[in-house]
Amino acid sequence: MISNSRFRTAGGNGSVLAGDEELAVLKAIEQRVLWLSTAIIDHANRVRPNPSGLKVGGHQASSASMTSIATALWFHALTADDRVSVKPHASPVLHAINYLLGELDESYLTTLRAFGGLQSYPSRSKDPDPVDYSTGSVGIGATAPLWGALARRYVDDHFGAAGTGRQYSLLGDAELDEGAVWEAIQDPMVPGLGEVVWVVDLNRQSLDRVVPGIAADRFQGMFAAAGWQVLTLKYGCLLQELFTRPGGEALRARIDAMGNPEYQRLLRCSAGELRERLPGTGSTAGPIADLIAPLDDASLLAALRNLGGHDIGALTGAFDAVDDTRPTVIFAYTVKGYGLPTEGHPQNHSSLLTADQMRALAARLRTDLDRPWAAFADGSPEAARCAAAARRLHRPRQTSQPVPPVPTDLARPAPTGTAHTQQALGRVLLDLTRKAPEAASRIVTVSPDVSSSTNLGGWLNKVGVWSSTERPDWFADDAETILHWRELPTGQHVELGIAETNLVGLLGELGATWSRWGQPLLPIGVVYDPFVTRALEPWSFGIYAGGRSILVGTPSGVTLAPEGGAHQSIITPSLGIEQPGCVTYEPAFAIDTEWCLLAALGNLGRPDGSSAYLRLSTRPVDQSLAAVPGDPAARERRRRHVTAGAYRLRQEERPVVTLAAMGALVPEALAAADRLAALGHHADVVCVTSPDLLFRALQARRGRSEDPTWILDQVFPAYRVTPLVTVLDGHPHTLAFLSTIQNTPVTTLGVTRFGQCGSIEDVYRYHGIDTDSIVAAALDLVD
């Protein structure tokens, strides 16, 4: 928990106004941030050569609405331990601030959205300047600091030295339309995160229009009901002072009751038009007209725009008034395009200033369009403030601790009897606590309320559930309780509510602790495989941002026969192939699962690593079918093949067809090979463990990547070319590319329809992936 000792004590009205001198300096910096962010976009669109003529874009209006908030945060409230997520369309504001802090070289200011330059949206992995959170997909950047706060606390509880900084989200009000936002704030772990501060840029515009309703009061109530501190900055000091004069209460009531479109239209009025429109009608029109009559035109226009989100004093006071015992949301009313000729226009989202408008803006902001990147003069109060902020916010280079070695083989005897790959997951985790305790201490599992049904019960009983404070287990003395829910700071399992987006959001942040605090974790998230698609976007974004993690989808496919089509995944195998920064595995046997999981764990927690997706099954399989070699060298060769993507499970002297099967369908392929042999057609059987790695090897053979290719020659050698039947519990195109390794005829079997309830035999027959179908497909190729 963060102490309030670093902040000034709030006054009786809940805010602290900075001194006049400080306000003047901050206002000057704000204007420079507005200029720089606008000029960065202007150069990318109007100045930089663009032979293709394709619009570059960059969101000048969306950036302008955020400049006051960002200035008050970076140059008044922020500390080096804090982390900030910046709304996607305000990336030029972040770059402008980093430039003023000396964290971004001037040469990059001309490279927005250019190849190798400043990214369209803030990116931890691609931008040249400091970016705490990658944003771009609406809603994900808003919630990321919640999971960052949990990850920081987890690291601090287990390894210490993770700091005590706040986690800020600067988000647009349209992001509150995203369901992921509300899924996140209602998770039971969130109300205790006092270091979290959200600032909502409430400019009341979306991409296409002015938002018609007045939703702020409803949103405020929803946050308050979730246990958040709610601060609202609606009016700035100019309007606040007007409200104290005769007629002021009538003016406040008039603006409060005004719909968003009407208010936005007033922003487009001249002073004369405003004097006619603002009073409105009815009994309060006269007092309002009398109130504004003495104001000169400039004062009247300035007062209407004087919202709390552009009042530096109100903003600094709000940051000082944050209650660090619970999460805080600050609703900061702003004007989209504030300070630009396009301010308040309903279609200003993608609008760009002309050369004449830029020159006029430069004159008003006391800058020079011909020298747009000029810094503050040496010795000026603004330069001194920027230098002081740079010193305050400087972070030493983070050195990550090395990941403890993860064994490649736990040296257990080959499993016997029947088992399924989901069981193997829990067994491997328990084995690691005994055989590699240092590596096991870095593992953290995450589940959306499905721990017991995904075979994590034994692991959970062993390591406990993580909680910042120890809580009593009221069922510890209940003899019939199998799953022991021990919550304590040393626990290694995090249980969230049933919201997959929350799970993968936390997974990404746990996977990034090596880069944030130098403490690598080995995070594993477990989710029902059909719901991987629900979690795919935020998980993909976490990988993009540098989070290394393992996502386990289990149980999977139509093999989950009795549950019917709603819980039977079809497209997930190919999604694993297509996800950058990730290796996908779908093992058939328990020993294969062990080797694949260990290989995936070995790739976590380091800059050159990768994430992994394991698709597991609950189908009991005779483990003797794996035919694991007893000789140590032969066993190691098998392991290398498994983790490289495939191995030859059965090899005949004169094969006429090859059956390539994956996951739960391997027993059917072996049974089909036996029946084909009885018919005089001998078949090789290849067990595919990673179509992803096989596809990469094929691309590398064609000079399209640097991945190793040896596995292709081992499993699909040229001297054993035969027609090919592929089969898996998923869409058949997943393995269709295997035929191009040696350009062989192929029949691809898989699932292309929504599933049905029934026995495995009935469901496999319905989809044409049963033994009969494999035999028939092979005969069609060889007869």
Side-chain angles (χ1 to χ4, degrees), residues 474-712:
W474 296 107
F475 289 87
D477 58 349
D478 187 335
E480 296 184 3
T481 298
I482 299 175
L483 187 66
H484 300 292
W485 207 259
R486 296 179 298 115
E487 298 181 83
L488 61 169
T490 58
Q492 291 179 243
H493 175 77
V494 181
E495 187 84 1
L496 299 175
I498 304 178
E500 286 78 9
T501 55
N502 289 350
L503 174 133
V504 295
L506 176 56
L507 204 61
E509 290 306 315
L510 291 169
T513 58
W514 61 271
S515 60
R516 293 200 193 281
W517 300 289
Q519 292 289 352
L521 297 176
L522 308 179
I524 303 172
V526 181
V527 63
Y528 281 5
D529 195 65
F531 308 129
V532 165
T533 51
R534 183 186 296 172
L536 186 61
E537 184 199 9
W539 188 55
S540 175
F541 216 80
I543 295 173
Y544 170 77
R548 317 280 188 239
S549 63
I550 297 173
L551 183 63
V552 178
T554 182
S556 62
V558 301
T559 300
L560 191 62
E563 300 231 10
H567 276 190
Q568 295 173 356
S569 54
I570 297 173
I571 64 174
T572 48
S574 57
L575 290 177
I577 298 175
E578 296 157 12
Q579 174 60 52
C582 168
V583 178
T584 181
Y585 297 102
E586 185 167 346
F589 301 104
I591 191 67
D592 297 354
T593 305
E594 173 187 310
W595 289 334
C596 292
L597 180 59
L598 294 175
L601 287 169
N603 276 324
L604 303 182
R606 63 175 201 258
D608 60 340
S610 70
S611 294
Y613 162 52
L614 271 69
R615 190 173 189 253
L616 305 183
S617 171
T618 51
R619 182 188 183 183
V621 173
D622 179 1
Q623 297 300 302
S624 67
L625 295 176
V628 180
D631 180 82
R635 175 184 171 110
E636 172 59 15
R637 179 177 182 272
R638 168 68 69 85
R639 185 199 66 79
R640 290 182 64 243
H641 284 202
V642 166
T643 57
Y647 60 95
R648 303 188 73 81
L649 184 55
R650 183 172 297 179
Q651 185 166 302
E652 298 290 342
E653 185 176 348
R654 290 187 177 87
V656 295
V657 67
T658 298
L659 310 179
M662 186 166 75
L665 270 296
V666 169
E668 273 64 33
L670 290 169
D674 290 338
R675 286 174 52 182
L676 287 167
L679 295 172
H681 303 292
H682 294 286
D684 283 352
V685 178
V686 171
C687 180
V688 176
T689 54
S690 175
D692 181 11
L693 292 177
L694 294 181
F695 184 75
R696 296 187 198 188
L698 183 60
Q699 290 290 86
R701 175 183 281 181
R702 294 166 176 167
R704 308 298 252 172
S705 75
E706 299 298 324
D707 292 282
T709 64
W710 62 267
I711 189 64
L712 301 181

